[in-house]
Amino acid sequence: MDFMQQSTLKINGFNNSHCQLKMVNYEAEENSISHETHGLSEKHLVVRRGKPFKLTLWFHWQLWNPHTEYPVLEVFLGNHSDRIIVQISDEQHDRQGWSAKIYPGDIQSKSVTIHICSPVNSPVAQYYLFLHIETMHRSRSTFEVGTFVLLCNPWLKEDPVYMPLKAQREEYIKNDCGILFTGTPQNIHARPWMFGQYEPGVLEACMKLLQVSRWHFNNKEKDYIRRADPIYLSRVICAMVNCEDDLGILMGNWSNDYRDGVSPTEWSSSADILHQWALSNCKPVRYGQCWVFASVLCTVMRVLGVPSRVVTVFNAAHDANSNLIIEENFSSSGEKLPGPKDSTWNFHVWVECWMRRPDLGSAFDGWQVVDPTPQEKSGGIYCCGPCPVVAIHQRFLGASFDTRFIYAAVDADVVRLIIHNGRVLKRTMDTETVGRLICTKSIGSDLLENLTQDYKSKTKPQAAGYGRYSGWRGGQDRPMSRNVRMSGRPTPCLSSSVGNQEDRSILGCSQMSDGEEEMPPGLEVSLSLKGVPTVGESIVLCVTVRNNSSSSRVLMEHVNAQLKEYNRNAQESFWKSHKEECIKAGEVLKLEHSILSSEYESVLADDDIMNVAVVIKDVLTKERFLATQEFNVTSPKITVEIEGGGRIQMKKEYKAHVSFTNTCSSSVNGAVLTVEGSGLLQGKQEARMAILKQDEKIEKTVTIMAAGPGTKVLKATFSHSNNPKAISRTFHKVTVVSA
């Protein structure tokens, strides 16, 4: 039945009345444009709280008798209802309560248009509406009018999610396509993601999510009331995006075994995930990782009317023990060792939601971090936030919710230990790596917007004020690095200097081994890369050793390379180098090492991170010096060309040409080029070659057609039998317009 014009059902009534409701016109087109909800649903009237919407009621014979009868609307939410006396008036609506008005010009012989306004603090939910025709003698006829969905209203100043700028609302509520940033700060990957809030069934899935939450099952009426608060909404949705405690949407998996589901890297659309969850009777979708969890959360919050954006934190700390320190262990030859539960992820993705914080005060209004990736429990469940970004910047670590944990993610310190036979040979502290870059998609473009300054102040706090550690030199603050670049030569990750006493007095860390000698200052070691590492080319490591002392030294250099995933411990070393060097007093020694492409191509996948560390040992004093660097290697590109460019008309066929050129150092066996695209292409299409020689091309031409408008993504991957993982992946954005 068309929701815009629905016949009505008479529930009860008296036989004398000639006023019989025939049908209701929901004025869906006009209401959806006025309420900025156009395209959100084909089944329901969707409106925003605190703003009037109108319905036209058609009757079989005539309207009610104004002398003996009067209309009353009743809105039901759960077991609670509000009676609304319909008034004939041209006065403004009172947004503090439900109101219904008929303007004098809207009354016809058999129809009337009623303007209904909900309170600005109404809960987000699906409501049921009934019409009563009552008499002065308290008898009445009741008709079922239908349902409507009520959302938050960021266009309304009184709404706690009000966002003042139109460009912001267009980006953070209405835009159905985003950009996710992954990789490392020195070599950022940008990939499109389809939030898909206008895809059929997405709004219904979001409303279903609220109905199956643990809070709704525990106390439906209380849950309905609390849904007026975006703080409460964000915590409920955050917990429901993962499935750890409830009937949530996504199951996390970081094991590399995705045979009974979909690899997280294969997803590119929230709508696909929400559809699968809703159609499977709320069984969790397998599988997600941080950017998938965050993107789905962003979709749901935008649908519900809460301005939201996806944010990437590069070098994000996971501080499980809440001491704001991350410990990393290395062997004496530079191999990164499996560490404690604390870790540093090369990148982590969460969501910022825009709302007021009356529980904390207006100073904490604005962007709030909400992180649905199940890491640590908050209030006994796997959710995180909302946490005010300003609280992180100002270090109000007690502000609700989970501020201490999120602060550590962007500003914890990293303590690196060189360990041999259970003894700590060297300890260094890095105050700059964590939260090196925090970013999101810019408004109105696909460029990166740097948010680092919103989270991090220019100086670290004094240790005494936060109980983090002792040993700051003179109690002074340390400056934070702001040298962030998207490409080019990476800046050194760590410099170590001899005799740095403060590195040896960190609370909560292992003590130095007995008998370790205290060395005078004089030696500095740093590690950097030459250029941007690219598949098919050698990776050139640059080790710089500066001898500031007055004596020569004999050094043993150990360099080690390992692969790792963005959030996991490093694997076994695949490349090593050991050699002895001599350095004169006052000399700066520059050492270069090349990792040939043939030495890493067989083990490297598209999403892998490379960890490289150098340990310099003074042969005479046995003192060690550590420097380390983590980076990703740029994969060879897959080229996608669409007939007529990236803008196509719906229900019209277009050719898409996809190709990949083997830039590896040798031929590869079992080459496979795969093309797929939800809403563009049925299933997967492949091109295969038994042997793909160096500099040879593999190609596939497919026919695409979109059934509906919006933004779609065409995805292509390249893999070969020499490596079990995809070594290149691309996501090509396609804009679909009406014919």
Side-chain angles (χ1 to χ4, degrees):
M1 186 178 295
D2 189 343
F3 80 96
M4 290 186 291
Q5 191 164 338
Q6 179 178 332
S7 299
T8 61
L9 174 66
K10 183 176 180 180
I11 306 299
N12 57 57
F14 48 89
N15 296 325
N16 295 343
S17 175
H18 295 285
C19 181
Q20 299 291 321
L21 187 61
K22 180 180 181 181
M23 65 179 60
V24 179
N25 185 344
Y26 288 108
E27 308 288 356
E29 184 71 17
E30 184 175 343
N31 283 326
S32 64
I33 293 174
S34 173
H35 285 252
E36 305 284 353
T37 59
H38 189 73
L40 282 179
S41 179
E42 297 176 350
K43 297 179 180 179
H44 299 96
L45 173 64
V46 184
V47 293
R48 300 194 184 275
R49 61 190 186 183
K51 184 178 177 67
F53 63 96
K54 67 180 186 178
L55 305 175
T56 299
L57 309 181
W58 290 83
F59 296 85
H60 282 282
W61 301 288
Q62 62 187 33
L63 301 183
W64 57 88
N65 186 335
H67 301 292
T68 60
E69 301 170 326
Y70 58 94
V72 176
L73 294 176
E74 190 168 10
V75 177
F76 279 84
L77 182 59
N79 294 326
H80 175 79
S81 69
D82 286 281
R83 281 173 52 86
I84 314 168
I85 304 296
V86 181
Q87 300 176 338
I88 299 178
S89 169
D90 56 3
E91 296 179 359
Q92 294 292 323
H93 290 268
D94 179 10
R95 294 192 176 98
Q96 301 309 310
W98 286 94
S99 62
K101 297 182 183 298
I102 299 174
Y103 298 126
D106 288 338
I107 302 176
Q108 307 298 325
S109 60
K110 293 185 180 181
S111 69
V112 62
T113 298
I114 302 178
H115 297 258
I116 305 167
C117 188
S118 63
V120 69
N121 62 345
S122 297
V124 172
Q126 179 175 319
Y127 291 75
Y128 292 83
L129 183 63
F130 293 85
L131 171 68
H132 306 299
I133 304 298
E134 301 187 354
T135 72
M136 304 302 179
H137 305 291
R138 296 186 179 180
S139 60
R140 70 179 186 182
S141 290
T142 298
F143 300 90
E144 180 182 346
V145 176
T147 65
F148 62 91
V149 173
L150 198 59
L151 306 178
C152 294
N153 192 351
W155 281 262
L156 185 64
K157 287 184 178 180
E158 294 85 354
D159 198 299
V161 301
Y162 170 66
M163 180 166 267
L165 298 181
K166 178 181 178 181
Q168 292 178 321
R169 296 191 298 264
E170 291 289 327
E171 182 68 48
Y172 302 133
I173 285 288
K174 299 180 70 175
N175 195 353
D176 66 344
C177 178
I179 298 293
L180 307 182
F181 298 103
T182 61
T184 61
Q186 303 88 359
N187 190 9
I188 294 174
H189 291 167
R191 55 170 289 183
W193 184 276
M194 301 303 101
F195 296 121
Q197 59 264 45
Y198 304 110
E199 292 293 318
V202 166
L203 177 133
E204 288 74 19
C206 295
M207 302 311 296
K208 184 175 185 177
L209 190 65
L210 289 171
Q211 296 299 105
V212 299
S213 77
R214 60 186 296 174
W215 293 268
H216 193 73
F217 284 141
N218 291 341
N219 191 326
K220 293 182 180 181
E221 301 309 313
K222 183 178 180 181
D223 173 60
Y224 277 134
I225 294 171
R226 297 190 68 187
R227 285 194 209 169
D229 182 5
I231 301 171
Y232 174 77
L233 271 178
S234 65
R235 282 188 68 78
V236 170
I237 298 301
C238 182
M240 290 298 296
V241 167
N242 70 71
C243 68
E244 295 299 317
D245 307 291
D246 39 47
L247 298 174
I249 298 170
L250 276 163
M251 181 180 294
N253 187 342
W254 289 266
S255 71
N256 265 335
D257 183 0
Y258 311 116
R259 286 173 293 182
D260 58 344
V262 176
S263 168
T265 57
E266 298 300 313
W267 295 113
S268 60
S269 167
S270 299
D272 292 343
I273 295 170
L274 288 164
H275 287 154
Q276 183 173 327
W277 173 80
L279 293 173
S280 67
N281 197 25
C282 307
K283 293 181 180 178
V285 177
R286 304 169 186 246
Y287 291 103
Q289 291 181 8
C290 66
W291 68 94
V292 186
F293 286 109
S295 298
V296 172
L297 173 64
C298 186
T299 294
V300 178
M301 297 307 286
R302 287 187 182 184
V303 167
L304 300 184
V306 180
S308 302
R309 62 187 184 185
V310 176
V311 172
T312 299
V313 180
F314 287 98
N315 300 339
H318 181 155
D319 181 25
N321 58 10
S322 300
N323 68 347
L324 307 182
I325 294 175
I326 306 300
E327 185 177 296
E328 295 181 353
N329 300 330
F330 291 80
S331 71
S332 57
S333 61
E335 185 176 13
K336 193 171 187 179
L337 304 174
K341 191 175 181 181
D342 283 1
S343 60
T344 303
W345 295 14
N346 293 97
F347 67 88
H348 181 54
V349 183
W350 59 45
V351 174
E352 287 180 359
C353 298
W354 181 272
M355 66 188 71
R356 297 185 189 127
R357 291 300 300 267
D359 57 323
L360 299 175
S362 60
F364 296 93
D365 292 350
W367 289 116
Q368 315 284 321
V369 174
V370 184
D371 187 355
T373 301
Q375 299 178 81
E376 304 293 334
K377 287 189 174 183
S378 170
I381 58 174
Y382 280 101
C383 72
C384 184
C387 164
V389 172
V390 68
I392 302 168
H393 184 273
Q394 299 297 329
R395 304 184 182 94
F396 288 101
L397 303 189
S400 56
F401 296 83
D402 310 302
T403 302
R404 189 176 185 88
F405 182 76
I406 297 172
Y407 174 84
V410 302
D411 216 5
D413 294 327
V414 179
V415 174
R416 296 190 177 97
L417 308 177
I418 301 178
I419 299 175
H420 182 66
N421 292 332
R423 297 173 63 242
V424 178
L425 304 180
K426 181 66 178 180
R427 177 185 292 109
T428 57
M429 178 185 292
D430 181 353
T431 63
E432 299 182 357
T433 290
V434 171
R436 179 66 62 87
L437 172 63
I438 305 170
C439 61
T440 190
K441 174 189 175 297
S442 295
I443 294 176
S445 81
D446 292 344
L447 298 178
L448 177 151
E449 179 182 349
N450 190 340
L451 304 177
T452 312
Q453 70 282 355
D454 295 340
Y455 283 82
K456 303 177 69 168
S457 61
K458 295 181 179 179
T459 58
K460 285 276 191 178
Q462 294 184 9
Y466 290 82
R468 298 168 59 156
Y469 40 78
S470 61
W472 294 97
R473 181 178 289 117
Q476 298 298 311
D477 292 348
R478 290 186 171 186
M480 292 298 297
S481 170
R482 285 292 178 269
N483 185 14
V484 179
R485 288 178 279 183
M486 289 184 61
S487 60
R489 182 177 300 178
T491 55
C493 181
L494 176 68
S495 293
S496 305
S497 59
V498 182
N500 193 345
Q501 181 65 31
E502 60 189 313
D503 290 341
R504 307 187 178 200
S505 56
I506 302 170
L507 294 178
C509 296
S510 305
Q511 298 298 313
M512 302 298 288
S513 302
D514 293 338
E516 182 178 342
E517 299 182 29
E518 186 72 29
M519 296 303 301
L523 200 65
E524 296 177 1
V525 177
S526 65
L527 173 64
S528 62
L529 303 177
K530 192 173 184 179
V532 178
T534 304
V535 170
E537 301 176 2
S538 296
I539 299 171
V540 180
L541 311 175
C542 304
V543 179
T544 301
V545 184
R546 181 185 296 274
N547 186 2
N548 296 322
S549 69
S550 58
S551 59
S552 298
R553 299 188 180 209
V554 178
L555 309 175
M556 178 60 71
E557 180 199 38
H558 299 272
V559 189
N560 193 289
Q562 301 163 273
L563 292 182
K564 67 183 292 288
E565 294 183 28
Y566 74 98
N567 67 325
R568 297 171 66 89
N569 290 319
Q571 303 170 14
E572 292 185 7
S573 302
F574 71 88
W575 181 91
K576 297 179 181 181
S577 174
H578 311 286
K579 64 178 179 178
E580 188 174 278
E581 297 284 351
C582 294
I583 187 170
K584 298 177 182 179
E587 183 183 5
V588 177
L589 188 64
K590 294 185 178 292
L591 308 171
E592 284 195 359
H593 301 273
S594 293
I595 305 177
L596 302 178
S597 59
S598 59
E599 295 176 297
Y600 67 78
E601 285 176 350
S602 62
V603 295
L604 183 70
D606 177 55
D607 303 304
D608 282 340
I609 306 291
M610 198 172 292
N611 179 88
V612 178
V614 57
V615 172
I616 300 292
K617 175 183 176 182
D618 187 311
V619 174
L620 178 62
T621 65
K622 312 301 183 186
E623 179 75 4
R624 270 85 168 178
F625 311 88
L626 170 70
T628 183
Q629 184 77 258
E630 290 189 347
F631 55 91
N632 52 328
V633 181
T634 300
S635 300
K637 291 186 177 181
I638 299 174
T639 301
V640 178
E641 297 177 344
I642 297 179
E643 177 187 359
R647 193 177 183 88
I648 66 174
Q649 290 185 2
M650 57 183 290
K651 298 182 180 179
K652 184 178 178 181
E653 291 187 346
Y654 293 84
K655 298 292 184 182
H657 184 70
V658 184
S659 63
F660 174 86
T661 300
N662 179 19
T663 60
C664 296
S665 58
S666 61
S667 301
V668 296
N669 298 322
V672 181
L673 180 63
T674 304
V675 185
E676 57 186 310
S678 178
L680 293 172
L681 196 62
Q682 292 293 325
K684 297 181 180 180
Q685 297 196 26
E686 295 179 344
R688 293 177 174 269
M689 294 180 66
I691 299 176
L692 184 65
K693 298 179 181 179
Q694 184 180 12
D695 296 326
E696 190 176 7
K697 183 184 292 186
I698 182 172
E699 301 173 280
K700 180 67 177 179
T701 299
V702 299
T703 300
I704 62 174
M705 184 174 68
T711 307
K712 314 292 181 184
V713 170
L714 195 65
K715 179 177 64 177
T717 58
F718 176 78
S719 60
H720 57 81
S721 58
N722 302 47
N723 191 323
K725 299 181 180 179
I727 70 163
S728 185
R729 182 181 289 107
T730 192
F731 299 86
H732 189 85
K733 188 166 62 173
V734 181
T735 301
V736 184
V737 298
S738 300

PDB file of all heavy atoms in Angstrom, residues 357-374:
ATOM      1  N   ARG A 357      26.188  18.850  25.429  1.00  0.00           N
ATOM      2  CA  ARG A 357      26.444  18.013  26.604  1.00  0.00           C
ATOM      3  C   ARG A 357      25.952  18.705  27.871  1.00  0.00           C
ATOM      4  O   ARG A 357      26.736  19.229  28.671  1.00  0.00           O
ATOM      5  CB  ARG A 357      27.936  17.691  26.703  1.00  0.00           C
ATOM      6  CG  ARG A 357      28.471  16.764  25.639  1.00  0.00           C
ATOM      7  CD  ARG A 357      27.795  15.397  25.637  1.00  0.00           C
ATOM      8  NE  ARG A 357      27.939  14.688  26.881  1.00  0.00           N
ATOM      9  CZ  ARG A 357      28.910  13.817  27.131  1.00  0.00           C
ATOM     10  NH1 ARG A 357      29.804  13.544  26.191  1.00  0.00           N
ATOM     11  NH2 ARG A 357      28.975  13.206  28.297  1.00  0.00           N
ATOM     12  N   PRO A 358      24.624  18.760  28.072  1.00  0.00           N
ATOM     13  CA  PRO A 358      24.110  19.397  29.287  1.00  0.00           C
ATOM     14  C   PRO A 358      24.570  18.713  30.563  1.00  0.00           C
ATOM     15  O   PRO A 358      24.576  19.329  31.636  1.00  0.00           O
ATOM     16  CB  PRO A 358      22.590  19.299  29.110  1.00  0.00           C
ATOM     17  CG  PRO A 358      22.376  18.174  28.147  1.00  0.00           C
ATOM     18  CD  PRO A 358      23.552  18.216  27.227  1.00  0.00           C
ATOM     19  N   ASP A 359      24.968  17.440  30.475  1.00  0.00           N
ATOM     20  CA  ASP A 359      25.453  16.738  31.662  1.00  0.00           C
ATOM     21  C   ASP A 359      26.821  17.239  32.104  1.00  0.00           C
ATOM     22  O   ASP A 359      27.204  17.083  33.270  1.00  0.00           O
ATOM     23  CB  ASP A 359      25.517  15.234  31.396  1.00  0.00           C
ATOM     24  CG  ASP A 359      26.382  14.883  30.191  1.00  0.00           C
ATOM     25  OD1 ASP A 359      26.362  15.643  29.191  1.00  0.00           O
ATOM     26  OD2 ASP A 359      27.083  13.856  30.229  1.00  0.00           O
ATOM     27  N   LEU A 360      27.576  17.858  31.182  1.00  0.00           N
ATOM     28  CA  LEU A 360      28.912  18.344  31.499  1.00  0.00           C
ATOM     29  C   LEU A 360      29.017  19.862  31.482  1.00  0.00           C
ATOM     30  O   LEU A 360      29.926  20.432  32.079  1.00  0.00           O
ATOM     31  CB  LEU A 360      29.936  17.766  30.501  1.00  0.00           C
ATOM     32  CG  LEU A 360      30.078  16.248  30.465  1.00  0.00           C
ATOM     33  CD1 LEU A 360      31.041  15.841  29.352  1.00  0.00           C
ATOM     34  CD2 LEU A 360      30.566  15.721  31.804  1.00  0.00           C
ATOM     35  N   GLY A 361      28.121  20.524  30.774  1.00  0.00           N
ATOM     36  CA  GLY A 361      28.187  21.966  30.627  1.00  0.00           C
ATOM     37  C   GLY A 361      28.475  22.357  29.193  1.00  0.00           C
ATOM     38  O   GLY A 361      29.057  21.580  28.416  1.00  0.00           O
ATOM     39  N   SER A 362      28.107  23.573  28.834  1.00  0.00           N
ATOM     40  CA  SER A 362      28.198  24.005  27.434  1.00  0.00           C
ATOM     41  C   SER A 362      29.621  24.024  26.900  1.00  0.00           C
ATOM     42  O   SER A 362      29.826  23.973  25.686  1.00  0.00           O
ATOM     43  CB  SER A 362      27.574  25.399  27.287  1.00  0.00           C
ATOM     44  OG  SER A 362      28.253  26.342  28.111  1.00  0.00           O
ATOM     45  N   ALA A 363      30.620  24.111  27.786  1.00  0.00           N
ATOM     46  CA  ALA A 363      32.012  24.106  27.328  1.00  0.00           C
ATOM     47  C   ALA A 363      32.373  22.803  26.627  1.00  0.00           C
ATOM     48  O   ALA A 363      33.354  22.754  25.875  1.00  0.00           O
ATOM     49  CB  ALA A 363      32.963  24.348  28.507  1.00  0.00           C
ATOM     50  N   PHE A 364      31.590  21.747  26.862  1.00  0.00           N
ATOM     51  CA  PHE A 364      31.884  20.437  26.281  1.00  0.00           C
ATOM     52  C   PHE A 364      30.956  20.100  25.122  1.00  0.00           C
ATOM     53  O   PHE A 364      30.935  18.959  24.652  1.00  0.00           O
ATOM     54  CB  PHE A 364      31.802  19.355  27.361  1.00  0.00           C
ATOM     55  CG  PHE A 364      32.833  19.513  28.441  1.00  0.00           C
ATOM     56  CD1 PHE A 364      32.542  20.223  29.600  1.00  0.00           C
ATOM     57  CD2 PHE A 364      34.103  18.989  28.287  1.00  0.00           C
ATOM     58  CE1 PHE A 364      33.486  20.387  30.584  1.00  0.00           C
ATOM     59  CE2 PHE A 364      35.058  19.146  29.270  1.00  0.00           C
ATOM     60  CZ  PHE A 364      34.759  19.853  30.431  1.00  0.00           C
ATOM     61  N   ASP A 365      30.182  21.084  24.650  1.00  0.00           N
ATOM     62  CA  ASP A 365      29.338  20.865  23.473  1.00  0.00           C
ATOM     63  C   ASP A 365      30.207  20.679  22.233  1.00  0.00           C
ATOM     64  O   ASP A 365      31.376  21.080  22.187  1.00  0.00           O
ATOM     65  CB  ASP A 365      28.411  22.061  23.255  1.00  0.00           C
ATOM     66  CG  ASP A 365      27.367  22.207  24.342  1.00  0.00           C
ATOM     67  OD1 ASP A 365      27.231  21.277  25.158  1.00  0.00           O
ATOM     68  OD2 ASP A 365      26.697  23.262  24.380  1.00  0.00           O
ATOM     69  N   GLY A 366      29.616  20.112  21.189  1.00  0.00           N
ATOM     70  CA  GLY A 366      30.323  19.976  19.912  1.00  0.00           C
ATOM     71  C   GLY A 366      30.614  18.530  19.582  1.00  0.00           C
ATOM     72  O   GLY A 366      29.827  17.632  19.886  1.00  0.00           O
ATOM     73  N   TRP A 367      31.751  18.297  18.955  1.00  0.00           N
ATOM     74  CA  TRP A 367      32.100  16.948  18.503  1.00  0.00           C
ATOM     75  C   TRP A 367      32.405  16.036  19.684  1.00  0.00           C
ATOM     76  O   TRP A 367      33.131  16.406  20.613  1.00  0.00           O
ATOM     77  CB  TRP A 367      33.294  16.991  17.559  1.00  0.00           C
ATOM     78  CG  TRP A 367      32.994  17.586  16.216  1.00  0.00           C
ATOM     79  CD1 TRP A 367      33.513  18.730  15.682  1.00  0.00           C
ATOM     80  CD2 TRP A 367      32.107  17.052  15.219  1.00  0.00           C
ATOM     81  NE1 TRP A 367      32.999  18.957  14.433  1.00  0.00           N
ATOM     82  CE2 TRP A 367      32.134  17.945  14.110  1.00  0.00           C
ATOM     83  CE3 TRP A 367      31.290  15.937  15.151  1.00  0.00           C
ATOM     84  CZ2 TRP A 367      31.384  17.735  12.958  1.00  0.00           C
ATOM     85  CZ3 TRP A 367      30.528  15.731  14.001  1.00  0.00           C
ATOM     86  CH2 TRP A 367      30.584  16.612  12.928  1.00  0.00           C
ATOM     87  N   GLN A 368      31.865  14.823  19.598  1.00  0.00           N
ATOM     88  CA  GLN A 368      32.045  13.796  20.626  1.00  0.00           C
ATOM     89  C   GLN A 368      32.570  12.523  19.967  1.00  0.00           C
ATOM     90  O   GLN A 368      32.029  12.074  18.960  1.00  0.00           O
ATOM     91  CB  GLN A 368      30.717  13.478  21.315  1.00  0.00           C
ATOM     92  CG  GLN A 368      29.885  14.695  21.692  1.00  0.00           C
ATOM     93  CD  GLN A 368      30.395  15.421  22.900  1.00  0.00           C
ATOM     94  OE1 GLN A 368      30.835  14.792  23.864  1.00  0.00           O
ATOM     95  NE2 GLN A 368      30.350  16.752  22.872  1.00  0.00           N
ATOM     96  N   VAL A 369      33.608  11.938  20.545  1.00  0.00           N
ATOM     97  CA  VAL A 369      34.135  10.673  20.024  1.00  0.00           C
ATOM     98  C   VAL A 369      33.220   9.527  20.452  1.00  0.00           C
ATOM     99  O   VAL A 369      32.888   9.388  21.627  1.00  0.00           O
ATOM    100  CB  VAL A 369      35.566  10.412  20.537  1.00  0.00           C
ATOM    101  CG1 VAL A 369      36.042   9.016  20.114  1.00  0.00           C
ATOM    102  CG2 VAL A 369      36.518  11.479  20.022  1.00  0.00           C
ATOM    103  N   VAL A 370      32.817   8.719  19.483  1.00  0.00           N
ATOM    104  CA  VAL A 370      32.044   7.501  19.739  1.00  0.00           C
ATOM    105  C   VAL A 370      32.734   6.381  18.970  1.00  0.00           C
ATOM    106  O   VAL A 370      32.859   6.453  17.748  1.00  0.00           O
ATOM    107  CB  VAL A 370      30.575   7.648  19.292  1.00  0.00           C
ATOM    108  CG1 VAL A 370      29.776   6.405  19.666  1.00  0.00           C
ATOM    109  CG2 VAL A 370      29.940   8.896  19.897  1.00  0.00           C
ATOM    110  N   ASP A 371      33.192   5.362  19.684  1.00  0.00           N
ATOM    111  CA  ASP A 371      34.011   4.313  19.073  1.00  0.00           C
ATOM    112  C   ASP A 371      33.339   2.955  19.241  1.00  0.00           C
ATOM    113  O   ASP A 371      33.307   2.397  20.335  1.00  0.00           O
ATOM    114  CB  ASP A 371      35.396   4.294  19.718  1.00  0.00           C
ATOM    115  CG  ASP A 371      36.360   3.349  19.013  1.00  0.00           C
ATOM    116  OD1 ASP A 371      35.923   2.636  18.088  1.00  0.00           O
ATOM    117  OD2 ASP A 371      37.542   3.325  19.377  1.00  0.00           O
ATOM    118  N   PRO A 372      32.793   2.367  18.153  1.00  0.00           N
ATOM    119  CA  PRO A 372      32.061   1.103  18.269  1.00  0.00           C
ATOM    120  C   PRO A 372      32.927  -0.149  18.184  1.00  0.00           C
ATOM    121  O   PRO A 372      32.418  -1.254  18.362  1.00  0.00           O
ATOM    122  CB  PRO A 372      31.108   1.159  17.075  1.00  0.00           C
ATOM    123  CG  PRO A 372      31.888   1.914  16.029  1.00  0.00           C
ATOM    124  CD  PRO A 372      32.715   2.931  16.794  1.00  0.00           C
ATOM    125  N   THR A 373      34.227  -0.003  17.875  1.00  0.00           N
ATOM    126  CA  THR A 373      35.091  -1.183  17.814  1.00  0.00           C
ATOM    127  C   THR A 373      35.215  -1.781  19.207  1.00  0.00           C
ATOM    128  O   THR A 373      35.609  -1.088  20.147  1.00  0.00           O
ATOM    129  CB  THR A 373      36.483  -0.816  17.282  1.00  0.00           C
ATOM    130  OG1 THR A 373      36.349  -0.257  15.977  1.00  0.00           O
ATOM    131  CG2 THR A 373      37.380  -2.047  17.202  1.00  0.00           C
ATOM    132  N   PRO A 374      34.890  -3.057  19.388  1.00  0.00           N
ATOM    133  CA  PRO A 374      34.903  -3.645  20.736  1.00  0.00           C
ATOM    134  C   PRO A 374      36.335  -3.857  21.234  1.00  0.00           C
ATOM    135  O   PRO A 374      37.006  -4.808  20.837  1.00  0.00           O
ATOM    136  CB  PRO A 374      34.161  -4.973  20.550  1.00  0.00           C
ATOM    137  CG  PRO A 374      34.341  -5.315  19.094  1.00  0.00           C
ATOM    138  CD  PRO A 374      34.417  -4.007  18.362  1.00  0.00           C
TER     139      PRO A 374
END
